[in-house]
Amino acid sequence: MSLPTTLNYIKLKTAPSHESELKDGDVFVKHLYFSNDPTQRVYIQKDSVPSRCYMDPVLEGEPMRAFGISEIILSKSDKYAPGDLVYGTFSWSDYQVINEAFVWMKIDDKTFDIPTQLSNLGHTGLTAYFGLTHVLKMKEGQTIVISAAAGATGSVAVQIAKHMLKSAKVIGLAGTEDKCRWVESLGADICINYHDADYKEQLDKAIGPDYIDLYFDNVGGEMLSHMFTRVKKFGRIAACGSIIGYNDDDKNKLTNWTNLIFNYLTVEGFIVTNYAEHFPEAFGFLIEGLSTGKIKNEGSYYPLTKVPEILDLIFGSKKPNGKLLTRIA
Amino acid sequence: MSLPTTLNYIKLKTAPSHESELKDGDVFVKHLYFSNDPTQRVYIQKDSVPSRCYMDPVLEGEPMRAFGISEIILSKSDKYAPGDLVYGTFSWSDYQVINEAFVWMKIDDKTFDIPTQLSNLGHTGLTAYFGLTHVLKMKEGQTIVISAAAGATGSVAVQIAKHMLKSAKVIGLAGTEDKCRWVESLGADICINYHDADYKEQLDKAIGPDYIDLYFDNVGGEMLSHMFTRVKKFGRIAACGSIIGYNDDDKNKLTNWTNLIFNYLTVEGFIVTNYAEHFPEAFGFLIEGLSTGKIKNEGSYYPLTKVPEILDLIFGSKKPNGKLLTRIA
């Protein structure tokens, strides 16, 4: 693909932060880990309409937004004290002065390490959980296809679907043979390499004659269009992401729409914060999964200077398995 | 449009029916009215996959299927007697021998005339009702856009939304100025001619800055793609039909999909028989609407020999307002 890559549009620069910048309600944080997510690509889309995004766009010249886990160093907030470990919406940097409103919560339970807190117990794990339970309303014994199954969200969804929600059949779609074998090691009954010329035939064989109950879509475009024809009557589709199109709008076009009507399918778009009131239930579920080994954490770690490249890496087949985290210190 | 029109593929021919053909469970019916519906185009799609349709395809050489109201002339069924007026799934013809399984129900209440029974109190009115209430879950005070608003289903949906469900704003989309004025006479706050070069600007002005709660889609394609950008966060879309694409698959392509994800929209495909268990509730509602004048019946009537042409007429801007019925006798 020849793309206007994010890399070309992001510059790293040095800028000081001063304690004297702290106003009432502000905190001064030392960042520890940043999450790298496909959705970040959408923040920097030049022609985006703010009212149609779930977060404001990041405008040219502004620091790049990222979710992260950080340590409070100084505080003029009543909510947070120095030493607190917090989860929040930050910007790519080593240290940052930020209002307490951008801090989501303090992390009290240190049972799990920070990478696990930021991926499986963070918005990635929550997205997989809510996509399966609240959006798809998955029931024991149902069959499911999960795209981008080697991705951060997809790989957690595979594990939850198979080991915790007792899916009868989990079919993953991923972009290399190695990724597919990894997805199968996580619990998928089969994972198909969508770069294979005959991937649709392989998929049909895996699906069998009865079609599939649910589709967890992280990809969009041609793959979603095909799945419109492979989800059974009254089936459900979770529209979690459309990574195929974030860099190339042409690839986001959809066909086979009449299948949705004549098979009474429901498609629901969602983001994890839609389900904020159910976070306690989700944390309980995910902690149980992690504690019992039903959900495993796998990811790769890169330094802050590599963060634009990591974001790019997410959009291609060379992306390593699972979550790609930036480790700052 | 240069299309492989239905007209070119349908031949009228004379074939006798004999009383002696009746087996146990069969009835011999005299057809009175046929319904002409866009969905019939889908039955005769040559490459259709039967398991992905809600009804079997009509194959080459087979008589064309249509919903209709007919009179029982002879009966070897325990359910129906000569003289009964019945609603069912029939084939284009004057008379027909058919198994009782294809008769849906006997019409006992003769308060309303047959055209009203077949349109407003038939699958058309039911589709408008279930689309608004069960699929879109419309609440008083919500705003809605309805496409093909001068069509059989759209025109009933406009009236139900405005006069019965108390929508705060009903915006219709139709294909001529005359149709638009008619849709407004039915109760739409405004109806916009989608053939106007600036129809999107007109639509934006009608919608206002707050976007729209609901979209009742009978059209699909480019119009649906645009509405993905105009339904507000957590809004709902009823996928009732995609008439733009039934004759031309290229026009069925969709764009703007990320709007569905980042605005948490739900799209639900449906057909009226999904809600069969709720038919009594729907009939009560529709009868109230018709009795109080909140729903009006308007349509045009054509003889059986014109029926292929009427089906074609549905797909163009020359279609008359409301329901197009075939009057057989």
Side-chain angles (χ1 to χ4, degrees), chain B residues 39-53:
Chain B
T39 191
Q40 290 175 284
R41 174 63 184 84
V42 181
Y43 304 155
I44 54 173
Q45 184 62 35
K46 201 162 185 148
D47 58 359
S48 72
V49 179
S51 59
R52 301 304 287 174
C53 300

Side-chain angles (χ1 to χ4, degrees), chain A residues 51-52 211 228 231 265 267 269, chain B residues 51-52 211 228 231 233 267:
Chain A
S51 58
R52 300 303 287 172
Y211 301 98
F228 285 152
V231 175
L265 309 185
V267 185
Chain B
S51 59
R52 301 304 287 174
Y211 300 97
F228 285 152
V231 175
K233 286 183 165 60
V267 185

Side-chain angles (χ1 to χ4, degrees), chain A residues 257-265, chain B residues 239-242 246 269-271:
Chain A
W257 187 254
T258 53
N259 273 269
L260 188 131
I261 304 170
F262 297 121
N263 295 278
Y264 347 123
L265 309 185
Chain B
C240 181
S242 62
Y246 295 162
F270 77 105
I271 66 160

Side-chain angles (χ1 to χ4, degrees), chain A residues 39 42 49-54 211 217 220-221 224 227-234 237 239-242 245-246 249 252-271 273-274, chain B residues 39 42 49-54 211 217 220-221 224 227-234 237 239-242 245-246 249 252-271 273-274:
Chain A
T39 192
V42 181
V49 179
S51 58
R52 300 303 287 172
C53 299
Y54 66 96
Y211 301 98
D217 183 39
L224 173 57
M227 287 307 301
F228 285 152
T229 72
R230 292 298 182 268
V231 175
K232 69 174 65 162
K233 286 184 165 62
F234 292 107
I237 296 173
C240 182
S242 62
Y246 295 161
D249 213 36
N252 237 343
K253 287 191 178 144
L254 296 174
T255 57
N256 299 326
W257 187 254
T258 53
N259 273 269
L260 188 131
I261 304 170
F262 297 121
N263 295 278
Y264 347 123
L265 309 185
T266 296
V267 185
E268 201 171 318
F270 78 106
I271 66 160
T273 46
N274 296 161
Chain B
T39 191
V42 181
V49 179
S51 59
R52 301 304 287 174
C53 300
Y54 67 95
Y211 300 97
D217 183 40
L224 172 58
M227 288 307 300
F228 285 152
T229 72
R230 293 298 183 266
V231 175
K232 69 174 64 161
K233 286 183 165 60
F234 291 109
I237 296 174
C240 181
S242 62
Y246 295 162
D249 213 37
N252 237 342
K253 286 190 181 146
L254 296 173
T255 57
N256 299 324
W257 187 253
T258 55
N259 273 269
L260 187 130
I261 303 170
F262 297 122
N263 295 277
Y264 347 124
L265 309 184
T266 297
V267 185
E268 201 171 316
F270 77 105
I271 66 160
T273 45
N274 296 161

